[in-house]
Amino acid sequence: MTKKMFASDNNSGIHPAIMEAIVQANDGHVPAYGSDLHTAAAIKKFKEHFGGESEVEFVFNGTGANVTGLKAMVRSHQAIICTDGAHINSDEGGAAEGVIGGKLLTVPSADGKLTVSGIEQHLHNIGNQQRSQPKAVSISQCTELGTVYTIEEIKEITSYAHANGLYVHMDGARLSNAAAHLGCSLAEMTVDAGIDMLAFGGTKNGLMMGEAVVCFNKELASELKYIRKQGMQLGSKMRFLAAQFERLLTDDLWLDNARHANGMAGLLAEGLMEFEGISLTQPVESNAVFASLPKEQIERLQEKHSFAVWNEEENEIRLVTSFDTSKEDVESLLGDVRKSFS
Amino acid sequence: MTKKMFASDNNSGIHPAIMEAIVQANDGHVPAYGSDLHTAAAIKKFKEHFGGESEVEFVFNGTGANVTGLKAMVRSHQAIICTDGAHINSDEGGAAEGVIGGKLLTVPSADGKLTVSGIEQHLHNIGNQQRSQPKAVSISQCTELGTVYTIEEIKEITSYAHANGLYVHMDGARLSNAAAHLGCSLAEMTVDAGIDMLAFGGTKNGLMMGEAVVCFNKELASELKYIRKQGMQLGSKMRFLAAQFERLLTDDLWLDNARHANGMAGLLAEGLMEFEGISLTQPVESNAVFASLPKEQIERLQEKHSFAVWNEEENEIRLVTSFDTSKEDVESLLGDVRKSFS
Amino acid sequence: MTKKMFASDNNSGIHPAIMEAIVQANDGHVPAYGSDLHTAAAIKKFKEHFGGESEVEFVFNGTGANVTGLKAMVRSHQAIICTDGAHINSDEGGAAEGVIGGKLLTVPSADGKLTVSGIEQHLHNIGNQQRSQPKAVSISQCTELGTVYTIEEIKEITSYAHANGLYVHMDGARLSNAAAHLGCSLAEMTVDAGIDMLAFGGTKNGLMMGEAVVCFNKELASELKYIRKQGMQLGSKMRFLAAQFERLLTDDLWLDNARHANGMAGLLAEGLMEFEGISLTQPVESNAVFASLPKEQIERLQEKHSFAVWNEEENEIRLVTSFDTSKEDVESLLGDVRKSFS
Amino acid sequence: MTKKMFASDNNSGIHPAIMEAIVQANDGHVPAYGSDLHTAAAIKKFKEHFGGESEVEFVFNGTGANVTGLKAMVRSHQAIICTDGAHINSDEGGAAEGVIGGKLLTVPSADGKLTVSGIEQHLHNIGNQQRSQPKAVSISQCTELGTVYTIEEIKEITSYAHANGLYVHMDGARLSNAAAHLGCSLAEMTVDAGIDMLAFGGTKNGLMMGEAVVCFNKELASELKYIRKQGMQLGSKMRFLAAQFERLLTDDLWLDNARHANGMAGLLAEGLMEFEGISLTQPVESNAVFASLPKEQIERLQEKHSFAVWNEEENEIRLVTSFDTSKEDVESLLGDVRKSFS
């Protein structure tokens, strides 16, 4: 038995069914760069979930998916509005600025969600040649704080954005977890809710690696493949990225994995709430639990468990579950929390 | 039996031993982004082959490896000297210009090799503020035309370059094939020959995907990891890239694969030379055969085989062998060539 | 008599002595791109003021001066720390992000000044490959709010920055006004206080156009001229930029102009403070007066005068004086303020 | 009497009428950044010459004008087709690659002109995701070799380009000289001939500094001002750029200056052709004379005159005349040529 970590869902490995798909795709020679049958089949699966008009491009990682999609939407003299904690702003090494050359206009957010009034505050200088011109909004579903936009919240943002000439991008690195939480389809939260461009995450949901740029706006689709290539995100043995997605989107594997991870986070949250001295700092709506607990308990837990201290000053930690987190893993952690208080 | 293609070595799949390494690395949770044991082990293997001073960063693909390494060497107002047929100039979708912002200064080359006199012609404007200032030379080993620099040829270039304040980058997408041809170690062609930065290829030699940026010049090493991240080349589940390299560099798998592919190319070339009306257009020194044959024969072959028409006007085709190309594959192709002439 | 505006010091024209210098420089043919005697003479003047080790490059405008200097200091994966109101962040159309490709890390500031603790909050992720790495601090002297750093404040920042591996850039679009306020030399606030790179402003102090990048750090100097050219800031008839600076730095013209403008701002501030219902929102330390007054008065004043409403919600206006603002201009404005209250 | 140089037309100074316009524009305060009456008047003049649909943006220099216009036409994954000697490729310090991030695809040209067949050779990879996609053609009128496209030649290029989805940019740093040569209006060579975007030169034709981006294609116009600002080409005291153009385009000053310079070049060419041992290497169609003469004569001339050795190996020199080159200047040079042969 291998100890599981709560540091991130990318500490987990490859789901067995995905691994099997990789192994089976390893059959002889096939054309490179996406002209193979696995890529065609995977794109077909995406169209089943997101509608037949979707344009799909597979890329290597989440930063690649976000920046490729955003670069199709904004030019360097334009700006992207997002929360200050957005992954594209905080954890992608300046890729958006470096690859696109544009500016991120950030909005502080306590729960990770962007709001219409947050967007609005950055629209005062439309037409002012001395300011980067907002052209896109980017939201994360789930957010970086584990919260989930309702479909209504998303529609409110897309309506406002479109009315103001802004495209809407969604960082869906954990989109499946959001669907599991909302009990809705992938399309309902995205294309049906007015999203123009999606980064659909696979790596955090059981893939070895692989994300998909899914474009719902025809005017943005035609140049995606060139942007992907210049952004160094075109894989040659594409079938091995595609085969993973083909399998993930078959027989609800994407949903089962996400439901399981969410369920484990729920279990963990329930357990933690029983301790006086521990409080949840965000609602638990996906596969992440944010909690504050005394510094001493944090330190004792760190001896046996791996997780992130999210905010050192506030003794806030982040615990992330995965498709392969087991009840035993959760109970083991909770047991050590118990010991830390004794 | 699956038909093999001669279109490119990236049409092949994953070598069985590499696949096994991936499967074995899929064991529980490990830290992401390179803080795992497979990454440590793979880097150790690189240091065994290239010397303990090497800095190694794994990336997703060849364009990522080339541009990450080159970006550590040149700033946007500087230039990179390479042949006009260099992969970085011809087949990377403008990634060098887009990600680095610098200029490629090209030299025509009939055999894919750069020469000192070719470099020299771009050094006339050193100090002229109106010209991009050459700061790096990039050579490909093997070249895009399947030819291989001798160690002496490499040293001549690195000596001249260093004497003129230029770094030397090597695109080693097929470096193993060059080592197999020269019968030398990986170090002898690279660090020992004065190369500053290497893109070491895995994908074309049996990996699912993965390339390594290997830096031999201490002054260029420290910022590589940030350049990799901003260039969207940092994999989260790094162990699966690393485990492939760990295995590739163990028990001479890299060399066996390359030798086999080179051997099949040699067999193919021998067979082709027996036909009147077919001539080799480049020396066969690695796993590619460039040949010209009558247009009619090309068209008949294309009905059953997959390969690139390299130069349509000159009826030149390119046939690439791989680690898994078999004698039967070669004989099948030669048989069809025979039929095409009858 | 022409009405003066209080909207900005770049609404003013060319100081007569500067105009005369332009006319006199218009004498026959001279080498282009800075190989002329006026450029040599102007650089000599800069060295007299800033020390013989200074590297000086003339550029067209303030954005050009800031970005050229900053680009010599940071690479695209690095970051610049500045206040959120810094001109480079707020009013340069995304030039820093677009031309450098790097990230601006901002610090809120009520008085326009950056502090050590503000810088410190952005240094928590040094060495974290997923974050843009801070490499430079940029401060504005005077600030965008008309305040002036004391020499001690500057030294505190440069000491802290250098101790943390950060270069310090100064946006000196109104540096002369700061010198007039502090009663110190140009060198005391810059090179002597540890500044690495300065954008020295001419346009706002009586020039037709022209700014100077002045580099005090030898390791940053050598590539400036190429950065200037790639940044499209190299003037061909350089003598006409240079001659203006040559004159500005002669016979204390730079200081007289700045003193005069500061004096007029002082007069204006004094006058405004006499009105109940008007309060200054920033200390008046240079040639700008920030004041809040009732919305009705603002609207009445706007009928006859040109100035910026700085913060609409707080009824804050900005009044900027210039080298050619006269007592009569000030009195005329004050008179209309008086009327607006009656 | 001041000796004139034949090194470049930017060695000349400011035409007296232009200087007077600058002096007269120096009258009190006016709004900055282009909201002044001189800018409005200058734009009106442009519309008179180029048609009422033209969008005009003033910038500082030729590189700024070229790159601003080109950036409105191509995105970073796209390419610009031009001759290898095009100023944007050879003499702008990598600004196109650095600021746009795109690729220049060059065509060798003996006379400086691009041809349809030259463009065609770069269109073989349309739709190939691994290649930068051509999106614009850039031609120089006059070319860098002093030759002038006929209106028919321009139309042939624009027709072919538009039929293939390419915009056409014209580097008109010396457009006035071309008009003087062809005896046509400015519009006939540009908007009427299908040009989409023009860089109209002022500096080489008697201005102190200043170029204009003139856009004839409505779909490209709207973002020009933001591109200009991010490209650091927005002047604050805009009136002084605008007033120069206002005057240049009044009373045919632009044409008189160009005619005069062309005439002096013609005189010079005639004189040179009388010497055995001197041959013109390009037709003299504007204000530049390219000639080859013995190395010894070149060296003797260099003692007294300033000019460029264009091609050292072929003993080819370039002599450029200007609006203020006099017959005496030409005769003085010819006299020294005569002496050098004696």
Side-chain angles (χ1 to χ4, degrees):
Chain A
M1 200 215 70
T2 319
K3 206 180 71 174
K4 299 306 181 334
M5 294 171 168
F6 293 90
S8 176
D9 32 15
N10 56 30
N11 287 12
S12 65
I14 308 171
H15 187 280
I18 299 294
M19 182 65 94
E20 199 190 319
I22 294 174
V23 170
Q24 294 207 347
N26 191 27
D27 182 27
H29 281 212
V30 307
Y33 300 116
S35 305
D36 63 289
L37 297 178
H38 287 290
T39 302
I43 290 174
K44 190 155 168 287
K45 289 281 178 191
F46 269 91
K47 289 180 186 259
E48 286 169 22
H49 281 87
F50 291 100
E53 302 294 293
S54 313
E55 170 82 15
V56 185
E57 309 282 350
F58 301 113
V59 299
F60 296 120
N61 65 0
T63 301
N66 283 330
V67 174
T68 300
L70 288 166
K71 190 166 179 179
M73 300 165 79
V74 299
R75 304 199 56 179
S76 73
H77 59 277
Q78 297 173 329
I80 300 158
I81 300 172
C82 62
T83 67
D84 56 2
H87 203 264
I88 58 168
N89 185 51
S90 294
D91 286 285
E92 301 193 346
E97 289 92 345
V99 177
I100 300 172
K103 201 174 181 71
L104 300 182
L105 296 173
T106 62
V107 178
S109 172
D111 64 355
K113 294 189 192 175
L114 193 62
T115 60
V116 163
S117 70
I119 298 168
E120 194 181 15
Q121 72 179 254
H122 284 298
L123 302 187
H124 296 326
N125 288 287
I126 299 294
N128 178 341
Q129 64 186 330
Q130 279 157 310
R131 301 292 177 98
S132 292
Q133 296 293 297
K135 188 66 190 171
V137 165
S138 179
I139 60 176
S140 301
Q141 177 80 320
C142 315
T143 74
E144 293 75 10
L145 299 179
T147 54
V148 174
Y149 289 91
T150 64
I151 292 175
E152 287 66 35
E153 287 171 331
I154 295 170
K155 285 183 177 170
E156 203 185 347
I157 286 172
T158 59
S159 299
Y160 181 79
H162 292 160
N164 285 279
L166 306 170
Y167 296 118
V168 185
H169 170 264
M170 180 177 274
D171 177 348
R174 293 185 182 98
L175 189 71
S176 301
N177 301 86
H181 173 71
L182 293 175
C184 70
S185 73
L186 293 171
E188 286 173 276
M189 281 181 300
T190 55
V191 56
D192 295 352
I195 297 297
D196 295 288
M197 186 79 72
L198 170 70
F200 180 73
T203 312
K204 292 175 189 294
N205 199 24
L207 262 52
M208 172 174 156
M209 72 177 66
E211 313 280 306
V213 180
V214 191
C215 177
F216 308 119
N217 184 326
K218 272 196 161 319
E219 67 187 87
L220 298 172
S222 65
E223 297 185 348
L224 267 181
K225 65 179 180 176
Y226 306 109
I227 293 173
R228 173 176 67 175
K229 175 60 199 176
Q230 190 180 38
M232 313 187 293
Q233 292 289 317
L234 175 63
S236 60
K237 295 182 178 176
M238 185 70 84
R239 59 172 143 169
F240 297 111
L241 290 176
Q244 296 180 69
F245 277 110
E246 187 186 355
R247 180 64 190 86
L248 185 72
L249 293 183
T250 298
D251 291 344
D252 281 350
L253 179 60
W254 64 276
L255 184 57
D256 293 344
N257 282 356
R259 268 190 192 140
H260 177 83
N262 285 10
M264 290 301 106
L267 211 62
L268 186 55
E270 274 178 46
L272 289 174
M273 282 190 295
E274 290 177 11
F275 296 93
E276 229 173 301
I278 298 189
S279 60
L280 301 186
T281 52
Q282 294 291 343
V284 177
E285 300 177 344
S286 55
N287 66 326
V289 177
F290 289 80
S292 75
L293 61 174
K295 193 177 168 69
E296 189 195 329
Q297 271 65 38
I298 292 177
E299 284 165 359
R300 287 184 63 185
L301 273 179
Q302 283 176 318
E303 291 163 16
K304 295 184 63 178
H305 295 274
S306 171
F307 55 85
V309 177
W310 192 256
N311 186 321
E312 203 151 354
E313 287 158 25
E314 303 188 13
N315 294 318
E316 184 187 30
I317 66 170
R318 185 189 72 163
L319 301 164
V320 186
T321 57
S322 182
F323 72 88
D324 65 350
T325 305
S326 65
K327 278 194 184 180
E328 291 71 31
D329 297 325
V330 171
E331 281 160 11
S332 156
L333 183 79
L334 290 173
D336 289 323
V337 173
R338 193 166 296 117
K339 282 181 209 157
S340 78
F341 274 103
S342 64
Chain B
M1 198 213 75
T2 319
K3 205 180 75 177
K4 301 306 182 332
M5 293 170 168
F6 293 91
S8 177
D9 31 15
N10 57 30
N11 286 13
S12 65
I14 308 172
H15 187 278
I18 299 294
M19 182 64 94
E20 199 191 320
I22 293 174
V23 171
Q24 295 209 345
N26 191 29
D27 181 27
H29 281 212
V30 308
Y33 299 116
S35 305
D36 63 287
L37 296 178
H38 286 290
T39 302
I43 291 174
K44 190 157 168 285
K45 288 281 178 189
F46 269 92
K47 290 181 186 258
E48 285 169 22
H49 280 88
F50 291 100
E53 301 295 293
S54 314
E55 170 82 15
V56 185
E57 309 282 350
F58 301 114
V59 298
F60 296 119
N61 65 1
T63 301
N66 282 331
V67 174
T68 300
L70 287 166
K71 191 167 177 178
M73 300 164 80
V74 299
R75 304 199 58 179
S76 72
H77 59 278
Q78 296 172 332
I80 300 158
I81 300 171
C82 62
T83 66
D84 55 2
H87 203 264
I88 57 170
N89 184 51
S90 294
D91 286 285
E92 302 193 346
E97 288 91 346
V99 177
I100 301 171
K103 201 174 182 70
L104 300 182
L105 297 172
T106 61
V107 178
S109 172
D111 64 355
K113 295 188 190 176
L114 193 64
T115 60
V116 162
S117 70
I119 299 169
E120 193 181 17
Q121 72 179 254
H122 284 299
L123 303 186
H124 296 325
N125 288 287
I126 298 295
N128 178 343
Q129 66 185 330
Q130 278 156 308
R131 303 292 178 98
S132 292
Q133 296 292 299
K135 189 64 190 177
V137 164
S138 180
I139 59 176
S140 300
Q141 177 79 321
C142 316
T143 73
E144 293 75 11
L145 299 179
T147 54
V148 174
Y149 289 90
T150 65
I151 294 176
E152 288 66 35
E153 286 172 331
I154 296 170
K155 286 185 176 168
E156 201 185 349
I157 286 173
T158 59
S159 300
Y160 181 78
H162 292 160
N164 285 279
L166 307 170
Y167 296 118
V168 184
H169 170 265
M170 181 178 274
D171 176 348
R174 295 188 181 96
L175 190 70
S176 301
N177 301 85
H181 174 71
L182 293 176
C184 71
S185 72
L186 293 171
E188 285 173 276
M189 278 181 303
T190 56
V191 56
D192 296 352
I195 295 298
D196 294 287
M197 185 79 72
L198 170 70
F200 180 73
T203 312
K204 291 175 190 294
N205 199 25
L207 262 53
M208 171 174 157
M209 73 178 65
E211 312 280 307
V213 180
V214 191
C215 177
F216 307 119
N217 184 327
K218 272 196 162 319
E219 67 188 87
L220 299 173
S222 64
E223 297 185 349
L224 266 182
K225 65 180 179 176
Y226 306 109
I227 293 172
R228 174 177 64 173
K229 175 62 198 174
Q230 191 179 37
M232 313 187 292
Q233 291 290 315
L234 175 64
S236 61
K237 296 183 177 175
M238 185 70 84
R239 58 171 140 168
F240 297 111
L241 290 177
Q244 296 180 68
F245 278 110
E246 188 185 354
R247 180 63 189 87
L248 185 71
L249 294 183
T250 298
D251 291 344
D252 282 350
L253 179 60
W254 64 275
L255 185 56
D256 292 345
N257 282 357
R259 268 189 192 142
H260 177 83
N262 286 10
M264 290 302 106
L267 211 60
L268 186 55
E270 272 178 47
L272 289 174
M273 282 192 294
E274 289 177 10
F275 296 92
E276 227 172 301
I278 298 189
S279 59
L280 302 184
T281 53
Q282 294 289 344
V284 178
E285 300 177 347
S286 54
N287 66 326
V289 177
F290 289 80
S292 73
L293 60 173
K295 194 176 167 66
E296 190 195 328
Q297 271 65 40
I298 292 178
E299 284 166 1
R300 290 183 63 183
L301 274 180
Q302 281 176 317
E303 291 165 18
K304 297 183 64 177
H305 296 273
S306 172
F307 55 86
V309 176
W310 193 256
N311 186 322
E312 202 151 353
E313 287 159 24
E314 303 190 11
N315 294 317
E316 184 186 31
I317 65 171
R318 185 189 73 164
L319 302 164
V320 186
T321 58
S322 182
F323 72 89
D324 65 352
T325 305
S326 66
K327 278 194 183 177
E328 290 71 30
D329 297 323
V330 172
E331 281 161 12
S332 157
L333 183 79
L334 290 173
D336 288 321
V337 173
R338 194 165 297 116
K339 283 181 209 159
S340 78
F341 274 104
S342 63
Chain C
M1 195 214 76
T2 318
K3 204 180 75 176
K4 300 306 183 333
M5 293 171 169
F6 293 90
S8 178
D9 31 15
N10 56 31
N11 288 13
S12 65
I14 308 172
H15 187 279
I18 299 294
M19 183 64 94
E20 198 190 321
I22 293 173
V23 171
Q24 296 210 342
N26 191 27
D27 181 27
H29 281 212
V30 308
Y33 299 116
S35 305
D36 64 287
L37 296 178
H38 287 289
T39 302
I43 291 174
K44 189 156 170 287
K45 287 282 178 190
F46 270 91
K47 288 179 187 260
E48 286 169 21
H49 280 87
F50 291 101
E53 302 293 294
S54 313
E55 169 82 16
V56 185
E57 309 281 351
F58 300 114
V59 297
F60 296 119
N61 65 359
T63 300
N66 283 330
V67 174
T68 300
L70 288 166
K71 190 166 180 180
M73 300 166 80
V74 300
R75 304 200 54 180
S76 72
H77 60 279
Q78 297 173 330
I80 300 158
I81 299 171
C82 61
T83 67
D84 55 2
H87 203 264
I88 56 168
N89 185 51
S90 295
D91 286 286
E92 301 192 350
E97 290 92 345
V99 177
I100 300 171
K103 202 175 181 70
L104 299 182
L105 296 172
T106 61
V107 179
S109 173
D111 64 354
K113 294 189 192 176
L114 192 64
T115 61
V116 162
S117 71
I119 299 169
E120 193 181 16
Q121 73 179 254
H122 283 299
L123 303 187
H124 295 325
N125 287 287
I126 298 294
N128 178 343
Q129 66 185 328
Q130 279 156 309
R131 302 292 179 96
S132 292
Q133 297 292 299
K135 189 65 191 173
V137 164
S138 179
I139 60 176
S140 300
Q141 178 81 318
C142 315
T143 75
E144 292 76 10
L145 300 179
T147 54
V148 174
Y149 289 90
T150 65
I151 293 175
E152 288 66 35
E153 286 171 330
I154 295 170
K155 285 184 177 170
E156 201 185 348
I157 286 173
T158 58
S159 299
Y160 181 78
H162 292 161
N164 285 278
L166 306 170
Y167 297 117
V168 185
H169 170 264
M170 180 177 275
D171 176 349
R174 294 186 182 97
L175 190 70
S176 301
N177 301 84
H181 173 71
L182 293 176
C184 70
S185 72
L186 293 170
E188 285 174 277
M189 279 183 301
T190 55
V191 56
D192 296 352
I195 296 298
D196 295 288
M197 185 79 71
L198 170 70
F200 180 74
T203 313
K204 291 174 190 295
N205 200 25
L207 263 53
M208 169 175 159
M209 72 178 66
E211 313 280 306
V213 181
V214 192
C215 177
F216 307 120
N217 183 327
K218 271 196 162 322
E219 65 188 90
L220 298 173
S222 65
E223 297 185 348
L224 266 182
K225 66 179 178 175
Y226 307 108
I227 294 173
R228 173 176 66 173
K229 175 62 199 176
Q230 190 180 38
M232 314 187 293
Q233 291 290 317
L234 175 63
S236 60
K237 296 184 177 175
M238 184 70 83
R239 57 172 142 166
F240 296 111
L241 290 177
Q244 296 179 71
F245 278 110
E246 187 186 354
R247 180 62 189 89
L248 185 71
L249 293 183
T250 297
D251 291 342
D252 282 348
L253 179 60
W254 64 275
L255 184 57
D256 292 345
N257 282 356
R259 267 189 193 140
H260 176 83
N262 286 9
M264 290 301 107
L267 211 60
L268 186 55
E270 272 178 47
L272 290 174
M273 282 190 296
E274 289 176 10
F275 296 93
E276 226 173 304
I278 297 189
S279 61
L280 301 185
T281 53
Q282 295 289 344
V284 177
E285 301 178 344
S286 54
N287 65 325
V289 177
F290 289 79
S292 74
L293 61 171
K295 193 176 167 64
E296 190 195 327
Q297 271 64 40
I298 292 178
E299 284 166 359
R300 289 183 63 182
L301 272 179
Q302 283 176 316
E303 290 162 19
K304 297 184 62 177
H305 296 274
S306 172
F307 53 85
V309 177
W310 192 255
N311 186 324
E312 201 149 354
E313 288 159 23
E314 302 188 12
N315 294 317
E316 185 185 30
I317 66 170
R318 186 188 72 164
L319 302 164
V320 186
T321 57
S322 183
F323 72 89
D324 63 352
T325 305
S326 66
K327 276 194 186 179
E328 290 69 32
D329 297 322
V330 171
E331 280 159 12
S332 156
L333 183 79
L334 289 173
D336 289 320
V337 173
R338 191 166 298 115
K339 282 181 210 159
S340 77
F341 274 102
S342 62
Chain D
M1 198 214 71
T2 317
K3 203 179 74 176
K4 299 306 182 329
M5 292 171 170
F6 293 91
S8 178
D9 31 16
N10 56 30
N11 287 14
S12 65
I14 308 171
H15 186 280
I18 299 293
M19 183 64 95
E20 198 190 320
I22 293 174
V23 171
Q24 296 208 343
N26 191 29
D27 180 27
H29 281 212
V30 307
Y33 300 117
S35 305
D36 63 288
L37 297 178
H38 286 290
T39 302
I43 290 174
K44 190 155 168 287
K45 288 282 178 190
F46 270 91
K47 289 179 188 260
E48 286 169 21
H49 280 87
F50 291 101
E53 302 293 293
S54 313
E55 170 82 16
V56 185
E57 309 282 351
F58 300 114
V59 298
F60 296 120
N61 65 0
T63 300
N66 283 330
V67 173
T68 299
L70 288 166
K71 190 167 179 179
M73 301 166 79
V74 298
R75 304 200 54 179
S76 73
H77 59 279
Q78 296 173 331
I80 299 157
I81 300 172
C82 62
T83 67
D84 55 2
H87 203 265
I88 57 169
N89 184 52
S90 294
D91 285 286
E92 301 192 351
E97 289 92 345
V99 176
I100 301 171
K103 201 174 181 71
L104 300 183
L105 297 173
T106 61
V107 178
S109 173
D111 64 356
K113 295 189 192 176
L114 193 62
T115 60
V116 164
S117 70
I119 298 169
E120 193 181 17
Q121 73 179 253
H122 284 298
L123 301 187
H124 296 326
N125 288 287
I126 298 295
N128 178 343
Q129 66 185 327
Q130 279 157 308
R131 302 293 177 95
S132 293
Q133 296 292 298
K135 189 67 191 170
V137 163
S138 180
I139 60 175
S140 300
Q141 176 80 320
C142 313
T143 74
E144 293 76 9
L145 299 179
T147 54
V148 174
Y149 288 90
T150 64
I151 293 176
E152 288 67 34
E153 285 171 330
I154 295 171
K155 285 184 176 170
E156 200 185 352
I157 286 174
T158 59
S159 299
Y160 181 80
H162 292 160
N164 284 279
L166 307 170
Y167 296 117
V168 185
H169 170 266
M170 181 179 273
D171 177 348
R174 295 187 182 97
L175 190 70
S176 302
N177 301 85
H181 173 71
L182 293 177
C184 69
S185 74
L186 292 171
E188 286 174 275
M189 278 183 303
T190 57
V191 56
D192 296 351
I195 295 298
D196 296 286
M197 185 79 72
L198 169 71
F200 181 73
T203 313
K204 292 176 189 294
N205 199 24
L207 262 54
M208 170 174 158
M209 72 177 66
E211 313 280 307
V213 181
V214 191
C215 178
F216 307 118
N217 184 327
K218 272 197 159 321
E219 65 187 89
L220 299 172
S222 65
E223 298 186 346
L224 267 182
K225 67 179 178 176
Y226 307 109
I227 294 172
R228 174 177 65 174
K229 175 60 198 177
Q230 190 179 38
M232 314 188 291
Q233 291 291 316
L234 175 63
S236 60
K237 296 183 178 175
M238 185 70 83
R239 59 172 140 168
F240 297 111
L241 290 177
Q244 297 179 69
F245 278 110
E246 189 185 353
R247 180 64 189 87
L248 185 70
L249 294 183
T250 298
D251 291 343
D252 282 349
L253 179 59
W254 63 276
L255 184 57
D256 292 345
N257 282 355
R259 268 190 193 140
H260 177 84
N262 287 8
M264 291 300 109
L267 211 61
L268 186 54
E270 272 177 48
L272 289 174
M273 282 191 294
E274 289 176 12
F275 296 93
E276 226 174 304
I278 297 189
S279 59
L280 301 185
T281 53
Q282 295 289 345
V284 178
E285 300 177 345
S286 55
N287 66 326
V289 177
F290 290 80
S292 75
L293 60 173
K295 194 177 168 66
E296 191 195 327
Q297 270 66 39
I298 292 178
E299 284 166 359
R300 289 182 63 183
L301 273 179
Q302 282 176 317
E303 289 163 19
K304 297 183 63 178
H305 297 274
S306 172
F307 54 85
V309 176
W310 192 256
N311 186 322
E312 200 149 357
E313 288 159 22
E314 302 188 13
N315 294 317
E316 184 185 31
I317 65 171
R318 186 189 72 164
L319 302 164
V320 186
T321 57
S322 183
F323 72 88
D324 64 351
T325 305
S326 64
K327 277 194 185 179
E328 290 71 30
D329 297 323
V330 171
E331 280 160 12
S332 155
L333 183 78
L334 289 174
D336 289 320
V337 173
R338 194 164 296 116
K339 281 184 209 155
S340 79
F341 275 103
S342 63

